[in-house]
Amino acid sequence: MTRRSVQAPNAVVMVRPHHFHPNTETASDNKFQTSPTDVSDIEIAKRAFDEVTRAVAKLETYGVRVHLFDDEGTATPDSVFPNNWFSTHPGGHIAIYPMFAQSRRKERRADVIEKLKCCYRVQEVVDYSGLEPDQIFLEGTGAMVLDHVERVAYAVKSNRLDPIALERFCTHFGYEPMVFEALDESGANVYHTNVLMCIATDFVMISTDMIVDPKRRAEIIERFEQSGRIVVNLSANQIASFAGNAIELSGTDGHVLALSQTAVDALSDEQKRIIGKSAKLLPLSVPTIEMAGGSVRCMIAGIHLTPRLKS
């Protein structure tokens, strides 16, 4: 029997794209994106479709419930990353977020929200997307990494996060905002917090060296240690391999850490040993999708809602 953890949901939403390709509109501030070479657009789309299909099957094998939605449109190249436009919260709450890139605003889908209302108890939907005309953005659990236990929202300063929207979210949902600056080795801002860190029930994976302010860095480390979690420090190279872009989920036989095969290959044996004490590593092969600058965590929107009783 899996022990319950508010940090590790046992159900998720994923989107399978039919016309995937790296989004040129988001490349300016997402240094994790790469350009495909010697591969046709049709082949790239097929590979991404297959990668999501295999990832869903593997998650379900481990007992994670996956609500899979297909995207057959051609105007939403980043739809495979649904965690940016909505999040769910215990007590029946859903948040919908304002997106930085105009193309990404088209990813919001009423059918996803209606499905959640059908399968889970939802009492309110808070929609922040009306902030977009004012150039105020908050890209969900990409821009924020939420500690659901300690009620802290960790957030890296970027184009994708506005302090006004963050404050509104934290006030409404009961989180303490923890904002900080993080830079990669080239001096560029990290575009999303969830490529820098992952908070699990018993451990945290984070590159503390990429946090600019030493005082803030020490404060963040202390907060994690006070929560009883082990801090698994990642290098900038491991972050570039998406080692921080992971999510802990509850499976049939315990907690699993879903992350990419690229990320697993970048971890040291000692890091794997520490993680393995409380969560089984669950590698998913998504190299094509990673060309878009996101990995497994970005692909998964966790469901922190109470299921409806079956009649």
Side-chain angles (χ1 to χ4, degrees), residues 49-153:
F49 181 95
D50 291 342
E51 286 173 8
V52 174
T53 301
R54 289 192 295 266
V56 170
K58 193 167 184 179
L59 286 167
E60 290 179 334
T61 297
Y62 279 81
V64 177
R65 184 182 185 186
V66 181
H67 298 278
L68 178 63
F69 295 82
D70 281 279
D71 177 21
E72 299 182 17
T74 59
T76 48
D78 282 327
S79 63
V80 72
F81 303 136
N83 86 117
N84 298 144
W85 71 261
F86 83 96
S87 65
T88 67
H89 303 269
H93 308 284
I94 296 176
I96 297 176
Y97 296 103
M99 307 289 281
F100 176 66
Q102 289 194 17
S103 61
R104 299 217 59 193
R105 300 170 191 177
K106 301 172 186 176
E107 296 172 24
R108 294 189 288 256
R109 295 173 54 160
D111 62 333
V112 172
I113 303 303
E114 290 306 311
K115 179 68 173 180
L116 292 175
K117 289 179 178 179
C118 178
C119 297
Y120 301 89
R121 297 192 179 278
V122 175
Q123 77 171 30
E124 72 163 349
V125 178
V126 183
D127 190 349
Y128 298 105
S129 63
L131 296 171
E132 287 167 349
D134 296 316
Q135 303 299 297
I136 295 175
F137 310 114
L138 178 64
E139 294 193 343
T141 54
M144 305 176 289
V145 172
L146 302 177
D147 184 341
H148 297 285
V149 178
E150 300 294 321
R151 310 300 295 177
V152 181

Side-chain angles (χ1 to χ4, degrees), residues 23 56 61 97 102 174 199 204 263 266 280 303:
N23 189 352
V56 170
T61 297
Y97 296 103
Q102 289 194 17
I199 301 175
V204 177
K280 180 179 177 61
I303 300 177

Side-chain angles (χ1 to χ4, degrees), residues 30-266:
N30 183 347
K31 304 305 179 184
F32 291 78
Q33 285 189 219
T34 57
S35 299
T37 57
D38 302 325
V39 183
S40 70
D41 290 345
I42 293 175
E43 180 60 25
I44 288 172
K46 181 182 182 303
R47 290 180 185 180
F49 181 95
D50 291 342
E51 286 173 8
V52 174
T53 301
R54 289 192 295 266
V56 170
K58 193 167 184 179
L59 286 167
E60 290 179 334
T61 297
Y62 279 81
V64 177
R65 184 182 185 186
V66 181
H67 298 278
L68 178 63
F69 295 82
D70 281 279
D71 177 21
E72 299 182 17
T74 59
T76 48
D78 282 327
S79 63
V80 72
F81 303 136
N83 86 117
N84 298 144
W85 71 261
F86 83 96
S87 65
T88 67
H89 303 269
H93 308 284
I94 296 176
I96 297 176
Y97 296 103
M99 307 289 281
F100 176 66
Q102 289 194 17
S103 61
R104 299 217 59 193
R105 300 170 191 177
K106 301 172 186 176
E107 296 172 24
R108 294 189 288 256
R109 295 173 54 160
D111 62 333
V112 172
I113 303 303
E114 290 306 311
K115 179 68 173 180
L116 292 175
K117 289 179 178 179
C118 178
C119 297
Y120 301 89
R121 297 192 179 278
V122 175
Q123 77 171 30
E124 72 163 349
V125 178
V126 183
D127 190 349
Y128 298 105
S129 63
L131 296 171
E132 287 167 349
D134 296 316
Q135 303 299 297
I136 295 175
F137 310 114
L138 178 64
E139 294 193 343
T141 54
M144 305 176 289
V145 172
L146 302 177
D147 184 341
H148 297 285
V149 178
E150 300 294 321
R151 310 300 295 177
V152 181
Y154 293 89
V156 172
K157 296 178 182 178
S158 75
N159 294 331
R160 318 291 184 93
L161 178 139
D162 188 289
I164 294 174
L166 177 65
E167 188 66 35
R168 289 190 186 183
F169 168 84
C170 288
T171 299
H172 189 94
F173 286 89
Y175 287 84
E176 174 191 350
M178 180 73 74
V179 182
F180 58 99
E181 186 177 7
L183 304 176
D184 65 18
E185 290 182 312
S186 69
N189 285 298
V190 174
Y191 82 104
H192 268 166
T193 313
N194 76 357
V195 296
L196 181 76
M197 60 190 293
C198 161
I199 301 175
T201 303
D202 299 318
F203 62 90
V204 177
M205 301 166 69
I206 181 173
S207 177
T208 57
D209 293 341
M210 294 171 69
I211 300 174
V212 174
D213 182 7
K215 183 178 179 181
R216 198 57 152 171
R217 182 190 310 139
E219 183 179 1
I220 290 171
I221 293 172
E222 182 180 11
R223 292 295 292 267
F224 288 138
E225 291 177 342
Q226 286 179 345
S227 74
R229 294 182 173 98
I230 297 172
V231 177
V232 179
N233 207 6
L234 303 174
S235 68
N237 286 336
Q238 289 176 320
I239 293 296
S241 296
F242 297 104
N245 196 237
I247 180 171
E248 183 188 48
L249 302 169
S250 295
T252 305
D253 297 321
H255 293 158
V256 297
L257 186 71
L259 71 175
S260 72
Q261 187 64 58
T262 305
V264 171
D265 293 342

